């Protein structure tokens, strides 16, 4: 393995046509930060001056350096190694009441001026077709502000040999379980260094990390009549460092996941019908993502996000905001970008706004929506009627320097029971005929986030308050308001867990963001369940 690693064609950091200044890679973290503070600040100010001179009413600059790494294995083989880096800058301007954006990998004094002027020219061209001028909500100014993900170990300081060794040991542990035939495992890491400056005076520097260890174990029946898989969905991606991989303890957990896969082979196939569902956070985070987080994106509601995964059933806004009962009184949905280790957690969003914590659903009623500086004024009447300022929630994001920022969801969480630390055992005890679902699986949902179907990883039959065995071929169907109003019990803080995804697509051209959804265990009454097994021909 060592020979393969040494001779693998890994792209060197900062090399080649990407234009990354390789001298930065050799600097210590402190020296690198100082280089950001001086050299990048000078070029950013030059770009902002050029934009203003060309007629921009507002401008911001983002200088990004993203480094990512993937290590992938199968059984005792290395199946993939990648070590990539991209570096460049983007300038966004407001001119003539319309947006313009331009970007380049070539960070030089002449190029930042050229790109800034190009962005203004684009804005003026866009202004010819605008319906109304863009209005930006006010925001505080943050000068010389810095933020860093709360990591303990930089994953890029860990040798690839060490990462591969851990994965192959975990694979061997999974394959030690009789019946486990195949196993895939991988690690993904991202470090994003982001410098931001705007014409209102905000200057921020952030270093953002994301880490995701994964494993999938497949068991095959002795007569090859069936196969079942188990993914490591209880180990969610996090905005942390290599310590997250170590705490995931893949070697110790791999046999458990393999045993689940083997047990699924002999599990009873579910009978279709209506069941009470006890959904663990490892599963419920995805239902929250699809049926709450996406439909409460304001651009989706207003029809600006229509071609890529549709619009939203929450329309027109005046018929829903402050009126629509999403679920029972115990249901509170929070939007935030502040939780330690959350994938969407940052110090400031991509237009220099410090994100707010806010309740999207309050006591079961739709209470707020996801906004940027441009979008917050669209809800001005609502905010004023509630005695609130018209301010962005800090939900602006772009996946790289080459992409224009737009509204992306924050961490969207279902809060635990507001009064008691309810246990999982209490929720199960109240079920006569039900199913407990652990882990997310395949799913589908319509364009307006209204009609959906969700599977999972592992399913347990509940009879008279007791788990009686494992099931398979389970998926439940839902209409969003019916499903959430069937919620009758929530777990307490001790059942709270963070799930999430490192890649959620949106926009045209498409962009991907990472987002966390925290939630407790939850119980839903009389939900339609179908059997997904295919009948033998």
């Amino acid at each position: 393995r060592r020979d393969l690693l040494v001779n693998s064609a890994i792209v060197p950091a900062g090399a080649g046509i990407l234009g990354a200044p390789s001298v930065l890679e050799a600097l210590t973290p402190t020296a690198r930060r100082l280089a950001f503070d001086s050299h990048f600040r000078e070029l950013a100010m030059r770009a902002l001056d050029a934009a203003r001179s060309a007629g921009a009413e507002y401008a911001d600059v983002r200088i990004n350096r993203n480094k990512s790494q993937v290590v992938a294995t199968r059984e005792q083989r290395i199946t993939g190694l990648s070590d990539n880096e991209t570096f460049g800058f983007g300038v966004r301007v407001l001119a003539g009441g319309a947006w313009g954006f331009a970007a380049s990998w070539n960070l030089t004094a002449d190029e930042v001026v050229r790109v800034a002027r190009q962005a203004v020219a684009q804005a003026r061209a866009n202004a010819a077709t605008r319906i109304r001028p863009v209005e930006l909500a006010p925001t505080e100014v943050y000068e010389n502000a810095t933020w860093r993900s709360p990591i303990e170990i930089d994953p890029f300081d860990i040798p690839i040999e060490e990462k591969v060794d851990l994965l192959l040991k975990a694979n061997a542990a999974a394959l030690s379980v009789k019946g486990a035939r195949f196993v895939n495992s991988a690690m993904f890491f991202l470090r994003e260094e982001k410098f931001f400056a705007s014409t209102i005076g905000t200057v921020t520097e952030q270093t953002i990390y994301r880490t995701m260890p994964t494993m999938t174990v497949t068991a095959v029946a002795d007569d090859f009549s069936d196969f079942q898989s188990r993914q490591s969905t209880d180990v969610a991606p996090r905005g942390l460092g290599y310590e997250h991989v170590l705490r995931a303890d893949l070697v110790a957990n791999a046999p458990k996941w393999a045993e689940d896969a083997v047990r699924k082979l002999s599990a009873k196939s579910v009978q279709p019908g209506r069941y009470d569902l006890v959904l663990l956070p490892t599963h419920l985070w995805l239902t929250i993502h699809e049926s709450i987080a996406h439909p409460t994106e304001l651009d989706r509601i207003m029809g600006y996000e229509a071609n890529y995964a549709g619009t939203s059933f929450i329309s027109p806004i005046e018929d829903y905001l402050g009126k629509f009962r999403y679920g029972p009184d115990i249901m509170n949905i929070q939007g935030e970008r502040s939780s330690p280790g959350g994938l969407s957690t940052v110090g400031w969003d991509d237009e220099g706004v410090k994100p707010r914590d806010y309740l999207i659903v309050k006591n079961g009623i739709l209470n707020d929506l996801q906004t940027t500086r441009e979008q917050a004024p669209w809800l001005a009447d609502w905010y004023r009627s509630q005695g609130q300022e018209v301010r962005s929630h800090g939900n602006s994001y772009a996946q790289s320097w080459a992409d224009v920022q737009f509204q992306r969801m924050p961490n969207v969480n279902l809060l635990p029971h507001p009064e008691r630390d309810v246990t999982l055992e209490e929720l199960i005890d109240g079920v006569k005929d039900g199913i407990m679902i652990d882990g997310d699986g395949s799913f589908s949902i319509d364009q307006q986030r209204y009609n959906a179907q969700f599977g999972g990883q592992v399913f347990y039959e509940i009879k008279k308050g007791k788990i009686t065995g494992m099931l398979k071929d389970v998926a439940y169907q839902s209409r969003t308001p019916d499903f959430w109003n069937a919620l009758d019990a929530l777990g307490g803080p001790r059942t709270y867990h963070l799930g999430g995804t490192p890649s959620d697509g949106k926009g045209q051209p498409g962009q991907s963001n990472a987002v966390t959804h925290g939630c407790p265990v939850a119980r839903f009454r009389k939900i339609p369940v179908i059997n997904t097994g295919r009948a033998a021909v």
Side-chain angles (χ1 to χ4, degrees):
R1 295 202 302 269
R2 183 175 298 276
D3 289 342
L4 185 145
L5 287 168
V6 169
N7 293 297
S8 292
I10 301 173
V11 178
I17 62 171
L18 294 179
S22 58
V23 66
L24 285 180
E25 187 64 37
L27 298 176
T28 66
T30 299
R32 189 184 302 128
R33 179 179 62 78
L34 292 175
F36 264 74
D37 285 350
S38 58
H39 181 59
F40 290 173
R41 177 188 295 271
E42 177 184 342
L43 292 174
M45 295 305 136
R46 187 179 181 90
L48 295 179
D49 288 343
R52 278 185 292 216
S53 297
E57 302 140 23
Y58 166 85
D60 56 44
V61 180
R62 286 176 296 110
I63 303 172
N64 285 73
R65 182 162 174 258
N66 289 11
K67 184 176 178 63
S68 63
Q69 185 181 85
V70 177
V71 183
T73 70
R74 174 176 171 176
E75 286 86 60
Q76 291 300 297
R77 302 191 300 275
I78 301 167
T79 57
L81 293 172
S82 69
D83 201 356
N84 299 312
E85 184 169 355
T86 178
F87 177 87
F89 72 99
V91 180
R92 185 183 66 154
V93 306
L94 198 58
W99 288 116
F101 176 78
S104 172
W105 59 266
N106 184 20
L107 187 62
T108 64
D110 290 341
E111 183 70 352
V112 298
V113 170
R114 185 192 70 80
V115 169
R117 290 172 177 168
Q118 181 181 351
V120 173
Q122 184 190 85
R124 293 195 183 283
N126 290 340
T129 60
R130 67 170 172 78
I131 298 174
R132 61 175 180 267
V134 172
E135 175 189 354
L136 298 181
T139 186
E140 293 80 6
V141 174
Y142 301 93
E143 299 179 7
N144 306 319
T146 61
W147 186 88
R148 178 184 172 92
S149 296
I151 73 161
E152 298 172 18
I153 305 171
D154 190 321
F156 296 96
D157 291 341
I158 305 300
I160 289 180
E161 294 94 334
E162 186 174 328
K163 297 167 181 171
V164 169
D165 187 59
L166 189 154
L167 290 175
L168 296 186
K169 285 179 178 176
N171 291 355
L175 293 172
S176 69
V177 174
K178 181 176 171 35
R181 295 288 299 273
F182 306 102
V183 57
N184 298 84
S185 61
M187 298 179 190
F188 165 80
F189 306 102
L190 172 72
R191 181 177 68 209
E192 180 179 11
E193 296 169 282
K194 182 181 298 185
F195 182 93
F196 174 91
S198 73
T199 50
I200 69 169
T202 288
V203 178
T204 65
E205 180 192 337
Q206 303 186 81
T207 305
I208 299 164
Y209 287 83
R210 296 183 190 127
T211 294
M212 183 175 70
T214 62
M215 173 173 281
T216 301
V217 185
T218 301
V220 180
D222 291 338
D223 61 359
F224 303 104
S225 62
D226 190 16
F227 68 92
Q228 296 288 336
S229 295
R230 171 67 156 104
Q231 298 175 10
S232 56
T233 50
D234 37 338
V235 178
R238 299 293 300 278
L240 299 172
Y242 196 73
E243 69 277 1
H244 181 50
V245 172
L246 299 179
R247 291 167 186 161
D249 204 351
L250 299 180
V251 176
N253 282 311
K256 176 179 71 71
W257 296 324
E259 289 165 3
D260 282 347
V262 172
R263 290 174 61 204
K264 287 170 72 173
L265 291 171
S266 57
K268 182 172 64 175
S269 188
V270 70
Q271 288 296 316
R274 286 185 176 267
Y275 293 86
D276 294 344
L277 300 183
V278 176
L279 303 181
L280 300 187
T282 54
H283 169 87
L284 188 57
W285 76 265
L286 181 60
T287 308
I288 293 169
H289 177 82
E290 298 296 342
S291 65
I292 298 177
H294 271 310
T296 57
E297 296 169 311
L298 186 52
D299 57 350
R300 183 183 297 276
I301 293 169
M302 298 295 287
Y304 292 101
E305 176 69 12
N307 291 342
Y308 195 151
T311 54
S312 172
F313 73 90
I314 300 174
S315 180
I317 292 175
E318 58 270 19
D319 291 348
Y320 284 81
L321 198 53
K323 304 174 184 176
F324 176 64
R325 178 159 288 282
Y326 230 116
D329 289 346
I330 60 171
M331 179 183 178
N332 292 286
I333 298 291
Q334 178 195 54
E336 52 85 9
R337 303 189 72 179
S338 59
S339 58
L343 292 172
S344 187
T345 298
V346 292
W348 299 269
D349 78 348
D350 280 354
E351 50 187 10
V353 174
K354 191 171 186 62
R356 297 178 168 194
D357 295 356
Y358 58 104
L359 287 179
I360 297 173
V361 175
K362 182 178 181 181
N363 299 328
I365 303 298
L366 182 64
N367 178 70
D368 210 338
L369 299 167
Q370 304 166 42
T371 62
T372 63
R373 289 190 68 195
E374 178 183 2
Q375 294 171 345
W378 302 350
L379 301 178
D381 291 343
W382 165 252
Y383 288 140
R384 289 171 183 143
S385 73
Q386 302 301 303
Q388 299 179 29
E389 294 180 287
V390 181
R391 295 294 180 99
S392 166
H393 287 312
N395 298 156
S396 178
Y397 173 83
Q399 70 176 359
S400 82
W401 56 269
D403 298 285
V404 66
Q405 56 266 57
F406 69 133
Q407 191 274 312
R408 296 308 316 261
M409 70 176 67
N411 303 316
V412 176
N413 313 314
L414 172 63
L415 299 184
H417 193 287
E419 298 174 359
R420 290 199 307 116
D421 197 3
V422 181
T423 65
L424 171 62
E425 291 72 22
E426 286 183 70
L427 269 63
I428 293 174
D429 186 60
V431 174
K432 290 184 178 180
D433 186 19
I435 301 170
M436 184 174 76
I437 303 180
D438 183 4
D440 59 87
S442 62
F443 74 97
S444 62
I445 194 164
D446 68 16
Q447 295 292 81
Q448 292 195 313
R449 310 285 158 169
Y450 197 71
N451 298 285
Q453 176 175 306
F454 291 92
Q457 289 295 310
V458 184
F459 314 94
Y460 298 94
E461 184 179 52
I462 303 173
K463 292 291 186 182
K464 298 180 180 179
K466 303 291 182 183
I467 292 177
T468 58
M470 187 178 282
L471 297 170
K472 64 181 177 182
D473 305 326
V474 176
Y476 62 88
Q477 297 178 322
S478 67
R479 293 170 66 247
T480 294
D482 294 344
F483 175 79
W484 285 105
N485 279 282
L487 171 68
D488 85 319
L490 282 175
R494 284 183 295 172
T495 72
Y496 194 81
H497 174 81
L498 301 180
T501 175
S503 54
D504 176 48
K506 182 181 175 184
Q508 288 184 313
Q511 294 190 42
S512 179
N513 79 314
V515 63
T516 287
H517 302 297
C519 60
V521 62
R523 187 174 67 200
F524 299 80
R525 297 294 192 183
K526 303 301 179 185
I527 304 299
V529 170
I530 63 171
N531 186 305
T532 61
R534 292 184 293 181
V537 178

